Amino acid sequence: MKRVHQSQDGSVSETTALGMLRRMLEIPSPSYHEAALADYLVQALEELGFQAYIDRVGNVIGEIGAGDGPVVMLISHLDTVPGEIPVRSEDGRLYGRGAVDAKGPLATMICAAASLADYPGRIVVVGAVEEETPCSRGAMRIRSEMPEPDYVVVGEPSGWSTVVLGYKGKLDLRYRVERPATHPSNPEPKASELAAATWHELLDLLGPEANHGSFDQPGATLCSFSGDLVAAKAEFSIRTPPGFDSEGLVKALRSRLPEGQLTVVNSVAACRAGRGSEVVRALSVAIRDQHARPTMKLKTATSDMNTLAEVWDVPMATYGPGDSRLDHADDEHIMIADYLRGIAVLTAALRELAPGPAKARMRVVR
């Protein structure tokens, strides 16, 4: 008997798709506080026909499929940055924290996979924890303890007709320094001055071409600065291009510091998929099926694609509906039409990744 959440062709109904995303937005899930959303999603996945569970770090994992064919992993993240946005529908838009980053892409993945219960392989949907933190603990656990899949799609807002081929890497640094108490007029360097000087030394090492607007150049951000004459701390984040020597930069910066401690909080390399990747091709075909011309993009930010690509050498790309310019914004929202188009695109892309004869059968509307 067909479940009430399914349409006649086996796809998840629009009502179910929108209801699930709205409920996901209504459940706050800032980093380190994803448990309530995880509990809801396990129940939702089971109702959609998945085998679902929560792993030991809090990731939600759902599996669906009916054969021994390829394993496709669809991975997005549960957590959001802090800050609540009232959930509402208005002028064809659905507002809420995480609407584009990345509950919209995650809901897209769930709905697309749920439409393919007879997939001739396995589709593994992962809602990872702590992507918005320096260490991406959820993705780190997935890459170390789950078998390497045949294909990976990472869920982040690319725009429904765009595929993201790669991301800059990231180097997160923390500098701490303490100095003896002294009068402000003492010519000896103060802790606050040393921390400020470290930022300027970092910029000097990166050079005048460094900026966040180019994929091929590093870009630095002073994330936080606090302290006084006696103790000070500064945190820096450097987005790095492919081939960047992060270890060399850290070594050079340390050599310029007269005192204090420079710590590497996290380091992940840049990643870039080829246009000929099976995943990129499948997504491109699926976008054309929706009567759009697929575009390719490189992002100057970082995602769990970086974390997985460091270990897994498999065809991989990033896809998800939503405008990435709304990431972390106070008016974060997703166009409802784009969300539904995204589900159609990803469903078709999964069919493209099925083995030959099975692919032909799955293209037939049942």
Side-chain angles (χ1 to χ4, degrees):
M1 181 179 296
K2 193 175 294 293
R3 293 183 176 88
V4 294
H5 65 259
Q6 289 181 307
S7 301
Q8 286 299 111
D9 63 356
S11 63
V12 173
S13 69
E14 291 186 8
T15 300
T16 298
L18 289 169
M20 181 177 66
L21 177 55
R22 186 181 186 102
R23 183 62 187 131
M24 290 169 66
L25 297 177
E26 290 170 344
I27 301 173
S29 58
S31 301
Y32 311 112
H33 301 281
E34 302 99 326
L37 178 58
D39 289 340
Y40 165 72
L41 284 178
V42 165
Q43 180 181 351
L45 285 163
E46 289 175 344
E47 290 177 355
L48 288 166
F50 290 80
Q51 293 182 332
Y53 63 96
I54 298 172
D55 72 12
R56 62 183 179 84
V57 302
N59 295 323
V60 174
I61 300 171
E63 298 187 13
I64 200 166
D68 297 325
V71 176
V72 184
M73 179 174 287
L74 310 177
I75 178 169
S76 188
H77 58 94
L78 303 175
D79 62 322
T80 69
V81 295
E84 293 189 21
I85 297 172
V87 178
R88 69 189 192 279
S89 297
E90 185 177 299
D91 297 328
R93 300 173 174 87
L94 182 57
Y95 289 80
R97 174 61 72 214
V100 297
D101 189 20
K103 294 180 181 182
L106 178 56
T108 298
M109 291 176 158
I110 293 170
C111 293
S115 302
L116 302 172
D118 58 347
Y119 194 77
R122 284 192 301 126
I123 303 173
V124 182
V125 178
V126 178
V129 297
E130 299 176 32
E131 190 273 348
E132 298 285 3
T133 73
C135 294
S136 291
R137 187 165 69 119
M140 292 288 286
R141 196 268 176 183
I142 293 298
R143 80 177 193 184
S144 65
E145 298 191 22
M146 291 196 73
E148 182 179 287
D150 296 287
Y151 307 109
V152 175
V153 180
V154 177
E156 292 284 350
S158 61
W160 77 268
S161 61
T162 300
V163 180
V164 174
L165 300 179
Y167 289 86
K168 276 186 172 180
K170 186 170 66 154
L171 175 64
D172 294 314
L173 303 176
R174 180 182 297 123
Y175 175 71
R176 296 179 186 270
V177 63
E178 294 183 2
R179 293 285 297 161
T182 188
H183 192 275
S185 64
N186 189 324
E188 290 296 314
K190 321 301 186 297
S192 53
E193 294 170 345
L194 290 169
T198 301
W199 168 241
H200 293 290
E201 294 290 353
L202 173 61
L203 294 180
D204 184 62
L205 284 168
L206 292 175
E209 300 300 319
N211 69 87
H212 284 298
S214 170
F215 188 76
D216 296 319
Q217 292 292 335
T221 298
L222 176 58
C223 298
S224 69
F225 186 98
S226 61
D228 52 27
L229 305 186
V230 177
K233 180 182 78 170
E235 294 181 321
F236 317 114
S237 183
I238 304 97
R239 304 293 171 143
T240 59
F244 186 82
D245 184 5
S246 293
E247 291 185 5
L249 175 66
V250 173
K251 182 178 180 180
L253 184 57
R254 282 182 174 141
S255 71
R256 295 191 179 197
L257 304 180
E259 54 189 290
Q261 182 179 20
L262 183 70
T263 302
V264 176
V265 178
N266 185 50
S267 180
V268 64
C271 63
R272 183 170 185 168
R275 289 174 178 262
S277 156
E278 292 98 320
V279 173
V280 175
R281 287 204 308 264
L283 287 164
S284 298
V285 168
I287 291 167
R288 290 190 187 98
D289 285 347
Q290 292 293 309
H291 311 293
R293 181 178 179 180
T295 56
M296 306 294 143
K297 182 186 295 185
L298 294 168
K299 284 194 174 184
T300 55
T302 308
S303 78
D304 278 343
M305 182 172 170
N306 301 73
T307 302
L308 299 176
E310 281 193 322
V311 174
W312 289 349
D313 185 17
V314 301
M316 190 180 304
T318 291
Y319 176 78
D323 184 346
S324 61
R325 292 173 296 182
L326 295 170
D327 288 4
H328 308 179
D330 291 337
D331 63 341
E332 186 176 358
H333 63 270
I334 191 167
M335 298 298 297
I336 292 172
D338 289 354
Y339 169 52
L340 297 175
R341 288 190 191 103
I343 294 171
V345 166
L346 190 55
T347 303
L350 289 168
R351 292 191 182 111
E352 284 294 319
L353 291 171
K359 180 193 300 185
R361 289 196 301 272
M362 294 192 78
R363 282 178 171 170
V364 177
V365 176
R366 296 179 296 279

